[in-house]
Amino acid sequence: MKGLEITIFNKNEILKDNVEFRIDSEYYKKEFLKLYSFIDDSPKLGELTYMSDLSTNGSFAVVAKIKNDNNPKVVPFIRSGNVGETFINKSELEFISQEAHNQLPKSTTELHEVMMARKGKIGGASIITEEETNFNCSENVIKLKILDKNRINPFYFTAYFNSKYGLKQIERLSTGNVQPWVSIFQIKKLMIPILNFNFQEKIAELIKIAHTEKKRSENSFKTAENLLNEAIGLKDFELNDEPINIKKFSESFGLYNRIDSEFYQPFYDDVEKIIKSHGFSLLSEICSDINYGTVPTSPYTNDSSGVPYIKGLNIKNTEISKEKLDRIINTEELQEKFYTKKGDIIISQMGTVGDVGVVREEEDWLFASFTIRARLSEPCQFNPIFIGLYIQKIAKPYYLYRNIAQASVRQNTDLPTVRNLFVPHLDQSIQDNISMMVENSFAQKNRCENFLFTASKAIELAIEQDEEYALKFIQKELFSEEALNI
C-alpha cells in the first residue's frame, strides 16, 4: 500500500453537491479536497453572475447562418484560445461581420465582464477592458456579468479564478472527460469567497497596474517593429498585388528550381530588392555555427536538475518562454553543438516556421530537432536581438515562407534556406535602439506578470491565513518591484 493515495468517504459525503454522481478517484484527490476545505462555505457563481454565450442568441443553425455570412469580417470574435489569462489574448482573434455582430447581442462583450473557456483550453479567467468592449464571443466561451459589483470587484473575481483556488476547481470538474470540457451547469457551481471589499480593491489596483505595464510592453515592441521597418525602408511598403509576373527561364526555374506560382509573387522580389539595397550578408557569413537541434534520448522530467529543452512552441518574437520549457535527463553524451550560450538565435524549423527566440543568459540549454540554432561569429557587427526580430518580422513572411519546402504536409524550412537568409547592413546604433526597445518591452511584460502573480498569491494567502497577512505580502512584493526599477 506504500505510495498509494487513499481517501475514505461515506455515501452522504459523496452525494454532497454532486449531481453528476462522480465516483472516479481523480475527483477525490487530496489536493482538491484540501483546497475545498478553505472555500466550502463560499457562494456559487450561479448566485452571483449572469452567464451567456453565443448559443443564447438562438438555435445552433440560426446562429451559424448569421455568423458565417459573406460580409466583410471586421468585429473581433473571442474563442477559447483567447481566454484563460487575466487579459484577452488578441494575437489570434477571429473576426465576424458587423452585420452578424449586430444580430448577436447576447454574446457582445461589455466593460468588466469576465470570460471563461468551457471547452479546449479551459481554466483561468479574462476580464474585458476598454480595448475589448463590443467584441463578440463563441459558444465555447462563457461570458459572466457580476450582478452586484459593490459586493464583488470584477478584477478580484478574475484574479481569484487565476489563482490555484479557481484553477483547481475547473481542473477537478473537467477530470474524467476525453477532452477538457465543462458545462454551464458546472461553472454555476464554482465557488468564490467574498473577501473584505477593501482587500478586493487592493487586488484590483494590482491588476490595473499590470494592465498598464502590458500596454507599455505592447507599445515598446511596436516601436521596435516600426524602427526596424523604417530603417530597412518597409514602413510604408504596400504589397504589389499584380496577378502576373513574367520571368525568363534563367531567372526562374533555372535559378531556383521552382515552378509554383506562389514563389514568384511580385512583392517577394520588391521586398528583397529593398532589403538588399542597404548592402547585406548571408546569415552563414556572419555566423560561426548554424545547425539543427537534437532529438531527446531520454524521457522528460519534472526534476529541476533536468536540462531545459527549447522547442518551436517555446519561442516567438525573440523571447524564450521559460515557464513552458520541458526538461530532459541523461544528456551527458550529447555533443556540445546542441547546447546554447548567450546570444544564440533559435529558429523554429517546422510548424511555427520562422518564430525566433534569443538566448539572453549563459544557459546550458538544449534545442530541439525541429529548431535551428544560429551562433554569431565573434567579433560581430550584428546585434543578436536585432537579427532575431528581423527574422521574426521580415524574413519569416518574405523569405522563409517563400522558400517553404514543397510537397510537405507541415510547413517546414531547412538548413540551406536558413544559411542563405540575407541580413541587411544597418548602423550599429540603429540595431542597438531596436534591441533596447525589445528589451524594454520584455522588462515591462515581466513587471506585468509579477503584479498578476502578486495578486493571485495574495488571494491565496488571504484565504489560507488572513487578509492582513496577505496585505503585508503585497507591500513586500511592491517594495521589491520598486527597488528593481530604481
Side-chain angles (χ1 to χ4, degrees):
M1 301 293 285
K2 185 178 179 181
L4 291 178
E5 181 180 309
I6 297 173
T7 307
I8 300 174
F9 283 95
N10 62 42
K11 183 179 178 182
N12 291 335
E13 291 173 311
I14 289 178
L15 291 175
K16 181 183 177 183
D17 197 26
N18 186 12
V19 178
E20 302 97 329
F21 195 56
R22 293 280 298 273
I23 58 172
D24 49 299
S25 59
E26 291 88 352
Y27 192 71
Y28 297 96
K29 282 183 177 180
K30 289 183 178 179
E31 64 169 326
F32 293 147
L33 300 177
K34 182 178 179 181
L35 287 168
Y36 271 75
S37 69
F38 286 102
I39 61 173
D40 210 25
D41 296 325
S42 301
K44 296 180 174 62
L45 295 197
E47 310 163 23
L48 304 171
T49 65
Y50 170 75
M51 301 183 187
S52 58
D53 63 9
L54 190 69
S55 63
T56 58
N57 291 288
S59 69
F60 177 83
V62 170
V63 170
K65 184 177 180 180
I66 293 171
K67 185 167 69 76
N68 298 315
D69 64 13
N70 294 321
N71 295 311
K73 311 303 182 187
V74 294
V75 177
F77 188 70
I78 299 170
R79 299 172 296 159
S80 59
N82 306 116
V83 173
E85 298 178 358
T86 304
F87 308 113
I88 297 292
N89 176 8
K90 293 182 281 191
S91 62
E92 296 179 356
L93 286 168
E94 283 192 350
F95 292 82
I96 62 173
S97 71
Q98 185 65 53
E99 291 80 1
H101 176 67
N102 294 341
Q103 295 179 68
L104 302 171
K106 293 184 179 179
S107 50
T108 298
T109 59
E110 297 179 16
L111 184 63
H112 297 163
E113 289 181 326
V114 179
M115 317 292 283
M116 298 178 72
R118 54 188 287 241
K119 187 177 182 181
K121 180 191 170 187
I122 63 171
S126 302
I127 191 165
I128 298 297
T129 66
E130 290 82 356
E131 291 91 350
E132 299 91 34
T133 56
N134 212 28
F135 284 18
N136 219 292
C137 61
S138 84
E139 66 277 6
N140 293 328
V141 176
I142 301 296
K143 191 163 64 82
L144 299 96
K145 180 180 291 188
I146 296 169
L147 299 177
D148 185 356
K149 291 181 182 176
N150 292 319
R151 188 182 181 199
I152 302 180
N153 187 297
F155 290 94
Y156 160 72
F157 185 99
T158 305
Y160 170 80
F161 281 102
N162 288 308
S163 75
K164 66 182 179 183
Y165 285 95
L167 295 171
K168 287 296 180 181
Q169 284 188 78
I170 292 288
E171 182 183 335
R172 187 189 194 204
L173 292 175
S174 66
T175 57
N177 296 333
V178 176
Q179 63 172 324
W181 179 85
V182 289
S183 66
I184 292 183
F185 174 75
Q186 289 174 312
I187 290 176
K188 287 182 177 180
K189 291 169 53 180
L190 296 175
M191 293 181 284
I192 177 170
I194 311 299
L195 300 181
N196 181 281
F197 200 76
N198 288 335
F199 178 79
Q200 293 187 39
E201 288 185 321
K202 190 66 178 179
I203 297 298
E205 181 184 332
L206 294 173
I207 304 299
K208 290 174 183 178
I209 295 172
H211 186 240
T212 298
E213 291 295 328
K214 179 177 182 291
K215 290 195 291 186
R216 290 178 63 201
S217 173
E218 292 168 348
N219 289 337
S220 293
F221 195 84
K222 192 66 180 177
T223 299
E225 289 183 275
N226 289 338
L227 288 171
L228 175 65
N229 286 321
E230 185 174 5
I232 291 176
L234 293 172
K235 183 178 180 181
D236 299 315
F237 176 75
E238 294 184 8
L239 289 181
N240 183 345
D241 56 2
E242 280 291 326
I244 297 174
N245 191 11
I246 299 173
K247 294 278 189 180
K248 297 177 182 178
F249 179 84
S250 60
E251 298 172 328
S252 54
F253 186 80
L255 181 62
Y256 298 109
N257 198 32
R258 296 279 293 262
I259 59 172
D260 51 305
S261 60
E262 291 81 6
F263 185 83
Y264 296 102
Q265 294 182 80
F267 67 82
Y268 285 133
D269 292 336
D270 295 342
V271 171
E272 182 173 337
K273 188 181 298 183
I274 291 170
I275 293 172
K276 288 183 175 180
S277 68
H278 299 271
F280 68 96
S281 296
L282 300 182
L283 192 62
S284 60
E285 295 172 340
I286 62 174
C287 288
S288 58
D289 289 298
I290 300 178
N291 60 284
Y292 291 123
T294 181
V295 177
T297 55
S298 62
Y300 297 128
T301 178
N302 292 323
D303 191 337
S304 60
S305 64
V307 179
Y309 183 66
I310 303 170
K311 295 187 289 189
L313 294 175
N314 301 124
I315 57 180
K316 191 169 186 178
N317 292 334
T318 80
E319 183 179 19
I320 299 174
S321 177
K322 294 183 180 181
E323 291 183 3
K324 299 177 182 178
L325 287 178
D326 290 317
R327 292 175 178 269
I328 58 175
I329 55 176
N330 303 328
T331 60
E332 292 80 6
E333 296 184 7
L334 287 175
Q335 299 177 52
E336 184 180 346
K337 68 177 183 177
F338 297 129
Y339 286 90
T340 66
K341 75 173 189 177
K342 185 177 181 179
D344 281 356
I345 302 162
I346 312 298
I347 306 165
S348 181
Q349 178 200 347
M350 182 174 286
T352 55
V353 176
D355 281 355
V356 177
V358 177
V359 181
R360 286 170 164 78
E361 301 167 8
E362 288 294 349
E363 302 279 8
D364 287 331
W365 293 344
L366 293 162
F367 51 100
S369 55
F370 296 127
T371 62
I372 294 172
R373 186 273 306 275
R375 177 172 291 173
L376 297 177
S377 303
E378 294 181 2
C380 185
Q381 299 302 309
F382 289 91
N383 185 308
I385 305 297
F386 157 71
I387 296 287
L389 188 68
Y390 165 75
I391 294 174
Q392 178 80 55
K393 295 300 180 181
I394 296 177
K396 173 178 177 173
Y398 296 120
Y399 173 77
L400 292 177
Y401 274 21
R402 184 186 195 188
N403 291 280
I404 288 289
Q406 299 181 80
S408 59
V409 177
R410 295 183 68 188
Q411 290 186 333
N412 70 88
T413 188
D414 55 26
L415 211 55
T417 300
V418 172
R419 287 180 180 276
N420 288 315
L421 187 155
F422 41 87
V423 180
H425 292 169
L426 297 182
D427 289 346
Q428 189 73 47
S429 61
I430 294 174
Q431 294 184 43
D432 290 344
N433 281 340
I434 292 169
S435 175
M436 180 182 69
M437 294 311 301
V438 172
E439 298 296 63
N440 285 348
S441 173
F442 289 150
Q444 290 152 353
K445 181 181 177 183
N446 287 336
R447 286 200 289 274
C448 169
E449 292 171 352
N450 288 341
F451 283 115
L452 296 179
F453 168 80
T454 299
S456 60
K457 185 64 179 178
I459 290 171
E460 294 167 9
L461 293 173
I463 292 170
E464 294 164 7
Q465 304 275 346
D466 56 53
E467 291 162 18
E468 184 178 350
Y469 185 85
L471 287 171
K472 289 179 180 178
F473 168 78
I474 291 173
Q475 285 301 116
K476 179 182 176 183
E477 292 299 306
L478 290 181
F479 179 79
S480 299
E481 182 69 35
E482 185 178 324
L484 289 173
N485 292 328
I486 294 176

